[in-house]
Amino acid sequence: MALIAAGADHAGVQLKDVLVAHLRELGHDVVDCGTHGLDRVDYPDFGEAVARKVAAGEAELGLCVCGTGIGIAIAANKVPGVRAATVHDVTSARLTREHNDANVICLGERLVGPELAKESLEAFLEATFEEGRHVARVAKIDALLPNESAQ
């Protein structure tokens, strides 16, 4: 079983909590990076927290949730070594691991219901990187320079 870092903002905390409980039921260890309530917080803080755990090897994979899954993925992807992908279904969850070697799954609580989110998370966890033709593409992604305007 994997050690997974999980985080969400106020718009994703309820789905995060459902998914953390599901992960634990499946036998995974989870580091919950917050948030833990419905008070307004900023998704970049939680996307970064999860991404830093994954990049440092303190977690094997990450789970991020915000309202759409988009903003928190953008934030997580700013951390070198992280490939965060917003997914909306089982197929996109599986393919992002197989083709992109994604190490953080991002979901939107306003867009994906809890049952589909559970199924998508399971597909993400069960999938493995196919390597082959995808290795060079992932290497190109990893070699991209950071956005200078963000520094």
Side-chain angles (χ1 to χ4, degrees), residues 5-9 16 31-35 46-47 50 63-66 72:
D9 69 354
K16 180 210 37 131
V31 176
D32 191 337
C33 299
T35 193
F46 300 94
V50 168
L63 163 66
C64 290
V65 187
C66 68
I72 204 163

Side-chain angles (χ1 to χ4, degrees), residues 59-101:
E60 295 170 56
L61 298 168
L63 163 66
C64 290
V65 187
C66 68
T68 63
I70 298 168
I72 204 163
I74 292 170
N77 276 314
K78 293 290 186 173
V79 176
V82 169
R83 287 175 303 281
T86 303
V87 305
H88 297 104
D89 54 41
V90 172
T91 301
S92 59
R94 180 179 50 79
L95 289 175
T96 198
R97 288 275 289 153
E98 291 177 353
H99 293 189
N100 311 119
D101 199 18

Side-chain angles (χ1 to χ4, degrees), residues 21-144:
H22 186 62
L23 286 168
R24 289 181 173 143
E25 289 170 2
L26 294 173
H28 297 283
D29 291 319
V30 180
V31 176
D32 191 337
C33 299
T35 193
H36 302 289
L38 296 174
D39 293 336
R40 188 189 136 339
V41 294
D42 298 324
Y43 58 80
D45 298 333
F46 300 94
E48 178 187 14
V50 168
R52 293 218 180 273
K53 294 270 188 209
V54 172
E58 296 171 20
E60 295 170 56
L61 298 168
L63 163 66
C64 290
V65 187
C66 68
T68 63
I70 298 168
I72 204 163
I74 292 170
N77 276 314
K78 293 290 186 173
V79 176
V82 169
R83 287 175 303 281
T86 303
V87 305
H88 297 104
D89 54 41
V90 172
T91 301
S92 59
R94 180 179 50 79
L95 289 175
T96 198
R97 288 275 289 153
E98 291 177 353
H99 293 189
N100 311 119
D101 199 18
N103 51 14
V104 177
I105 184 174
C106 302
L107 295 154
E109 182 173 312
R110 295 177 182 147
L111 303 177
V112 179
E115 292 309 311
L116 180 56
K118 288 178 190 177
E119 292 171 9
S120 298
L121 180 56
E122 288 177 25
F124 180 82
L125 295 172
E126 291 168 5
T128 58
F129 184 45
E130 288 183 351
E131 298 187 5
R133 71 185 189 278
H134 305 293
V135 171
R137 295 168 182 162
V138 170
K140 285 183 178 187
I141 292 168
D142 288 344
L144 289 172

